Amino acid sequence: MAKLLFVLTGSPYWTLKDGTRHATGYWAEEFAAPYKTLTEAGHRVVVATPGGVVPTVDMMSLRPEMAGGAQNALELEAVIRSAEELRRPIQLSDAREEDYDAVYFPGGHGPMEDLWLDADAGRLLTAALDSGKPLAVVCHAPAAMLATRVRGVSPFAGYRVTGFTNDEEHAVGLASKARWLLEDELKELGVKFERGEMWKPYTVIDRNLYTGQNPASSGVLGQELLKVLK
């Protein structure tokens, strides 16, 4: 049985460039799909957030039209309700890579508020990448990679990476309101940014780094983790 660390945003909002707060948090599917796959296989999950705050689910992600139908929305909600780990997260500052067999960062717009400049997120990502053990990051969570820069240089530079694209951000109507766009900042970081079709599952594996483009990619990432944890 493997022990996995899920690092979630602690922010229930995302500050837009006009200073308003857009309600958000973590995206339901991005937590629930890998969580269900991995825990049903017998693996153990520990949740960490900045400050150990109980993470907030983005309620938009539980709407039937966003979750792929009413039944899917109910199933996601059931997983989240059953996941006691969400109610008792550890502090991200206390998380040590060596205590886990894999690390996973789910997205949602929340990481664009807190994880992108969180030194503990940067430390953990750097350690996980160096460890050779599986490191999975999906959708907006690659924003946390921005926290890995030391004197302007990131250990992720040169890695093949995907994440929520500018086109997808435009499609949800938030690109023009954002202080910065994830795809642009990742390219500035020096990663080799790749993309698939909007809203369709698309994952990139480069060495021990597993990244997914959007919410639909999270279930695939969970399955990929399951393969290497057996």
Side-chain angles (χ1 to χ4, degrees):
M1 182 181 73
K3 184 180 178 184
L4 297 97
L5 182 68
F6 278 34
V7 180
L8 274 66
T9 175
S11 182
Y13 62 85
W14 176 34
T15 304
L16 304 178
K17 66 182 179 184
D18 66 358
T20 60
R21 290 181 172 184
H22 174 74
T24 184
Y26 69 89
W27 199 258
E29 182 179 4
E30 296 173 29
F31 171 82
Y35 176 87
K36 186 173 188 289
T37 294
L38 294 163
T39 56
E40 285 185 349
H43 301 304
R44 180 186 170 197
V45 167
V46 174
V47 169
T49 63
V53 301
V54 175
T56 299
V57 64
D58 189 325
M59 295 308 295
M60 181 76 73
S61 66
L62 291 173
R63 291 184 182 179
E65 64 269 26
M66 301 300 287
Q71 185 59 40
N72 283 347
L74 289 172
E75 290 174 3
L76 290 174
E77 187 172 357
V79 172
I80 288 168
R81 287 185 183 277
S82 69
E84 283 301 316
E85 297 90 343
L86 287 171
R87 260 73 72 189
R88 43 183 175 82
I90 67 169
Q91 293 190 50
L92 184 53
S93 59
D94 292 335
R96 297 288 178 268
E97 174 279 323
E98 56 267 27
D99 295 334
Y100 302 93
D101 299 292
V103 175
Y104 171 57
F105 280 66
H109 280 104
M112 302 274 280
E113 182 69 25
D114 59 0
L115 296 182
W116 76 280
L117 41 61
D118 188 291
D120 292 308
R123 168 187 57 78
L124 187 67
L125 280 169
T126 299
L129 192 68
D130 288 345
S131 74
K133 293 182 285 189
L135 169 61
V137 194
V138 72
C139 200
H140 286 92
M145 294 178 187
L146 303 180
T148 65
R149 285 177 289 206
V150 177
R151 291 183 289 279
V153 178
S154 168
F156 288 88
Y159 275 77
R160 295 168 51 238
V161 169
T162 190
F164 204 67
T165 64
N166 289 355
D167 291 339
E168 287 167 316
E169 205 72 86
H170 278 287
V172 297
L174 289 168
S176 64
K177 302 175 181 179
R179 292 176 292 173
W180 46 271
L181 297 177
L182 178 64
E183 179 181 337
D184 293 345
E185 291 298 318
L186 288 175
K187 289 176 178 176
E188 285 291 321
L189 197 67
V191 306
K192 298 175 182 176
F193 191 87
E194 301 183 5
R195 69 173 69 216
E197 188 177 348
M198 285 204 307
W199 314 125
K200 298 295 180 64
Y202 184 76
T203 58
V204 173
I205 302 173
D206 187 349
R207 288 156 278 185
N208 64 316
L209 178 63
Y210 298 70
T211 52
Q213 178 173 317
N214 47 35
S217 307
S218 57
V220 180
L221 279 187
Q223 293 294 337
E224 292 292 342
L225 285 176
L226 192 61
K227 290 177 188 177
V228 294
L229 290 172
K230 285 181 179 179

